[in-house]
Amino acid sequence: MSGSVHHSSGRSGRWFLAIIGIWVACAGGVFIWLMARSFARALEMRSWAEVSCVILTAETEERRHDEFSAPEYRQSVSFGYEWKGAPHTGTHLTLRDNPWSADKQSIEQQNAALPPGSTTTCRVNPANPDFAVLKLDSLAPLYAIWFPALFVVGGLGMAVRAVKHRPENC
């Protein structure tokens, strides 16, 4: 009787490891998908039209989550551009909006690099000309996609090994 209990608990342990391996592989797969999607968007942005734009404002915006939290800052910028003869105003530095930071000095330096009245280039989304950005998103997610791929390979390897492993004493 004790041999059958040992064999049954060994089988359930192997299935438990297989489930954990599949879970790890799925988690890695989700991160691969997120990184691939981010890379695809950044790559698509490179096909957006590059147009001249004029900086209208560049200010430092401040927020606090509550009275006890440290302040956060972000660049609040607006710029004017023309698309197919129609004037537009943009407010996005990047596709994901303007990031918040605890480093006020860095934000103020970025603002100083964009004085009102200066001319620069922006990228306009041809599918939605009301949306333009000053900075392209990075292609870096493609360079780092190997890391979550390790979790997919390792998780699947763990699951396959757990299911295929046969105890030697049975």
Side-chain angles (χ1 to χ4, degrees), residues 92-159:
H92 286 78
L93 285 172
T94 67
L95 188 62
R96 291 183 189 88
D97 208 0
N98 307 352
W100 290 94
S101 170
D103 187 359
K104 183 177 184 179
Q105 184 178 7
S106 172
I107 299 297
E108 289 177 347
Q109 287 174 346
Q110 292 171 25
N111 284 337
L114 296 171
S118 64
T119 303
T120 186
T121 58
C122 59
R123 296 285 183 129
V124 179
N125 182 351
N128 179 11
D130 289 327
F131 189 83
V133 297
L134 289 177
K135 296 179 185 177
L136 294 173
D137 281 1
S138 171
L139 297 174
L142 180 66
Y143 312 133
I145 209 162
W146 62 269
F147 186 70
L150 292 176
F151 286 85
V152 172
V153 171
L156 290 176
M158 182 175 156

Side-chain angles (χ1 to χ4, degrees), residues 18-153:
I19 290 169
I20 295 294
I22 290 169
W23 185 87
V24 167
C26 287
V30 167
F31 281 99
I32 286 175
W33 176 75
L34 290 170
M35 293 174 87
R37 186 179 70 164
S38 184
F39 171 75
R41 275 191 257 169
L43 190 60
E44 178 191 352
M45 289 177 75
R46 278 146 177 79
S47 69
W48 290 5
E50 190 172 335
V51 299
S52 179
C53 60
V54 176
I55 302 300
L56 303 173
T57 62
E59 301 167 345
T60 302
E61 188 178 337
E62 180 180 330
R63 76 172 179 189
R64 287 180 186 262
H65 291 287
D66 58 43
E67 62 187 276
F68 302 109
S69 65
E72 291 181 313
Y73 308 94
R74 78 171 173 180
Q75 198 173 7
S76 177
V77 64
S78 65
F79 51 94
Y81 60 97
E82 201 172 287
W83 178 254
K84 296 189 177 179
H88 294 273
T89 302
T91 59
H92 286 78
L93 285 172
T94 67
L95 188 62
R96 291 183 189 88
D97 208 0
N98 307 352
W100 290 94
S101 170
D103 187 359
K104 183 177 184 179
Q105 184 178 7
S106 172
I107 299 297
E108 289 177 347
Q109 287 174 346
Q110 292 171 25
N111 284 337
L114 296 171
S118 64
T119 303
T120 186
T121 58
C122 59
R123 296 285 183 129
V124 179
N125 182 351
N128 179 11
D130 289 327
F131 189 83
V133 297
L134 289 177
K135 296 179 185 177
L136 294 173
D137 281 1
S138 171
L139 297 174
L142 180 66
Y143 312 133
I145 209 162
W146 62 269
F147 186 70
L150 292 176
F151 286 85
V152 172
V153 171

